Amino acid sequence: MADPLTSTELDDALASLAGWEVVDGSLHRELKFADFPEAMAFMTRIAFTAEKMGHHPNWSNVYNTVVVDLSTHDAGAITALDVDLAKKIDEVAG
Amino acid sequence: MADPLTSTELDDALASLAGWEVVDGSLHRELKFADFPEAMAFMTRIAFTAEKMGHHPNWSNVYNTVVVDLSTHDAGAITALDVDLAKKIDEVAG
């Protein structure tokens, strides 16, 4: 099981990510796309990554907006798994 | 533009739908699937329907759960468009 990040590890992770902040104990990012199909295409791409990792986002969508919250249920905290998934989201979202 | 449903129309609509209730001015349903890929497959199918209708859900996903809230932004209320999309969701979700 992944361990909770220390505050130093979390600060380092946030510095390496684009547009993420910690909200209510999760890594949180809001993404805007051109339209609804683009938002869904993003979610579908990330879905395959998440399933392969065995680590799934808490996310919501309205039209061209996707809001993502990442935390690790088993650890009750943000772990390296969340940072890995956030990095993959940044790669796909550009 | 679709008009807000009257309370009688809304009651009739709810009687014709499976598992929907009105929460915070939206048609609301929580759906459970076997796993994350099944939840994403459902969202992808509904996404094409929604885009074709030009009417999009407010929805969120965590693992095998999808929570859907339907209302019509332009009308600031639940309209026939929301009932149509809810019926299509019921058809796909079974």
Side-chain angles (χ1 to χ4, degrees):
Chain A
M1 189 183 99
D3 292 321
L5 295 187
T6 66
S7 62
T8 304
E9 288 169 336
L10 187 54
D11 287 345
D12 288 349
L14 287 169
S16 72
L17 296 169
W20 294 83
E21 57 188 326
V22 176
V23 176
D24 293 335
S26 296
L27 284 179
H28 173 93
R29 186 179 170 190
E30 183 174 320
L31 302 105
K32 290 272 188 187
F33 298 90
D35 53 24
F36 178 71
E38 290 296 322
M40 290 304 303
F42 163 78
M43 292 181 78
T44 304
R45 285 188 66 181
I46 294 301
F48 285 96
T49 300
E51 183 65 11
K52 192 171 182 181
M53 290 176 71
H55 190 61
H56 302 90
N58 179 338
W59 53 1
S60 62
N61 159 253
V62 183
Y63 193 56
N64 67 334
T65 300
V66 178
V67 176
V68 184
D69 286 279
L70 305 177
S71 66
T72 302
H73 188 262
D74 291 346
I78 298 168
T79 70
L81 281 172
D82 301 303
V83 178
D84 286 350
L85 184 51
K87 284 181 180 169
K88 284 166 180 163
I89 286 172
D90 285 350
E91 286 169 18
V92 169
Chain B
M1 190 182 98
D3 292 321
L5 295 187
T6 65
S7 61
T8 304
E9 288 168 337
L10 188 53
D11 286 345
D12 288 348
L14 287 169
S16 72
L17 296 169
W20 295 83
E21 57 188 326
V22 176
V23 176
D24 292 337
S26 296
L27 284 179
H28 174 94
R29 185 179 170 189
E30 183 175 320
L31 302 105
K32 292 271 188 188
F33 298 89
D35 52 23
F36 178 70
E38 289 296 322
M40 289 304 303
F42 163 78
M43 292 181 78
T44 304
R45 286 187 65 179
I46 295 301
F48 285 96
T49 300
E51 182 65 10
K52 192 172 181 182
M53 291 175 69
H55 190 59
H56 303 91
N58 179 338
W59 52 3
S60 63
N61 158 253
V62 182
Y63 192 56
N64 67 335
T65 301
V66 178
V67 177
V68 184
D69 286 280
L70 305 177
S71 66
T72 303
H73 187 261
D74 291 347
I78 298 168
T79 71
L81 281 171
D82 301 303
V83 177
D84 286 351
L85 185 51
K87 284 182 180 168
K88 284 165 181 163
I89 287 171
D90 285 350
E91 286 169 20
V92 170

